[in-house]
Amino acid sequence: MEEARRAAQAGAPVPDAEQLAARALGFLQATSPFAYPEVINATGVLIHTNLGRAPRLAPPLPPYLALEYDLEAGARGERLAPVTARLTRYFGAEAALVVTNNAAALVLLLATHAGGREVIVSRGELIEIGGSFRLPEIMAAAGARLKEIGCTNRTHLKDYEAAIGGDTAAILLAHRSNFHISGFTARPTLAQLVALGQRRGLPVWVDQGSGCHLDLRPFGLHPEPTVQELLAAGANAVLFSGDKLLGGPQAGILVGRAATIEALRRHPLRRALRPDKGALTALVATLDAYLAERPLEVPLYRLLATPEGELRRRARRLARRLAAAGLAVRAVPCRAVVGGGTLPDQTLPSWGVELPGGDQKTAAALRRSTPPVVARIEDERVILDLRAVFPEQDRHLAEAAATALTTSR
Ligand SMILES: *Cc1c(COP(=O)(O)O)cnc(C)c1O
């Protein structure tokens, strides 16, 4: 009101009630401390893009830090040095670089090494991630020409070989992050493609996406090729997200041969894709946990490692608490997924609580509770899946669910 009054005194038109209300709403949204409220993730999707992807280790940031400052020399330092030293050590790579996200990593790689030239990609790997990452469009935006080869289900070594011409810059493999093809399928191994690349003087790049970096079998999942294995098999560059299976902050990580990676540093786009200090410090903390062989310090792996029996025990306790509030609920076994564009064909055993009145109204009431709870709706049932709920959140979950359910009845 005050702002409108002052503006009107200065000669601006007087807003009507509707305009005032809209402005007030905008003001409240912009100043609310809960602009990104904490939520309890009861969806059973561990890497949930809408909920911030991987739950990350977040060391608190001091007001100032020696981010790109050499304390010995008292002069400007190298911003990425602490993180690239850890990346090369952990992944066994010659060189590493970090940008804002994996899409940016791909753009930078293509713009540096394939501008105006052809990059060969199998038709079975032309992926779309989350609607806004579409491989053909990213390639066009980076100024590279897509040379599509093979068929959706089958692409052979000879298809790659036949596509190589004088204008070919590289062979690109893209991970099928959010779908899988089964049945009558074929594709060459990375080793075969690397050998072909070596014969024809071409690099092989792998957009690995998920950042799978350790053996997933102890977590009850099928193994996936790790970044380390792809590098050992001769990939010239491997790129992936920081906030998928690495369990870190949003970042795009490139590891590979020194000549390939070092050239990226000199491209002017790199400055436009510089990661934030929060991401860099979180990445260092995450990599330190892996280098110390303590993956369970990373929240994602703590969730993955929770035994099914413990989830069952917690689900039963939650069900008892809600039953005590007069609600007809029951603990049920269910299946969770890793999500976020990783492991599309795999599920994890989990336990949850099935709520009465399995409809959108219950889910909406849960989202309005404090803290908000995002549940899963499955076969018209509302399920609170505990796989992505941290044990210390159980009490809040019980309270929020009890309030939401009693008020929505
Ligand atoms: C997730 C993913 C991307 C996009 O990564 P962002 O970090 O979200 O930019 C690109 N390629 C593949 C194969 C992916 O899985």
Side-chain angles (χ1 to χ4, degrees), residues 134-168:
R134 308 183 85 195
L135 190 60
E137 291 170 14
I138 293 268
M139 292 182 65
R145 289 206 313 278
L146 167 61
K147 177 84 178 172
E148 287 179 41
I149 58 157
C151 290
T152 307
N153 56 332
R154 290 169 74 82
T155 302
H156 306 282
L157 188 63
K158 63 179 191 298
D159 296 323
Y160 284 93
E161 190 141 30
I164 297 174
D167 221 14
T168 308

Side-chain angles (χ1 to χ4, degrees), residues 56-67 79 249 275-285:
R56 67 177 221 190
L57 276 178
L61 273 185
Y64 292 106
L65 64 167
L67 183 67
R79 183 185 180 99
D276 151 72
K277 59 189 172 187
L280 293 176
T281 51
L283 202 49
V284 163

Side-chain angles (χ1 to χ4, degrees), residues 49 53 100-106 125 127 129-130 132-133 135 138 173-178 206-211 239-244 250-253 340-342:
T49 301
R53 281 211 182 140
T100 42
N101 60 15
N102 191 28
L106 185 58
E125 298 176 5
I127 49 169
I129 312 259
S132 55
F133 177 101
L135 190 60
I138 293 268
L173 301 182
H175 188 259
R176 291 172 182 157
S177 298
N178 50 12
V206 185
D207 177 5
Q208 194 251 14
S210 74
L239 41 152
F240 52 96
S241 297
D243 52 359
K244 293 182 179 173
Q250 180 189 306
I253 298 166
T342 67

Side-chain angles (χ1 to χ4, degrees), residues 119-123 126 136 145-150 163:
V119 175
I120 301 172
V121 186
S122 158
R123 289 197 171 85
L126 290 175
R145 289 206 313 278
L146 167 61
K147 177 84 178 172
E148 287 179 41
I149 58 157

Side-chain angles (χ1 to χ4, degrees), residues 103-121 133 135-146 169-172 205 207 239 254 260 264 267 269:
L106 185 58
V107 167
L108 183 61
L109 181 68
L110 292 166
T112 306
H113 294 292
R117 296 172 67 203
E118 272 181 0
V119 175
I120 301 172
V121 186
F133 177 101
L135 190 60
E137 291 170 14
I138 293 268
M139 292 182 65
R145 289 206 313 278
L146 167 61
I171 293 170
L172 174 65
W205 300 329
D207 177 5
L239 41 152
L254 295 121
T260 304
L264 306 180
H267 194 286
L269 259 181

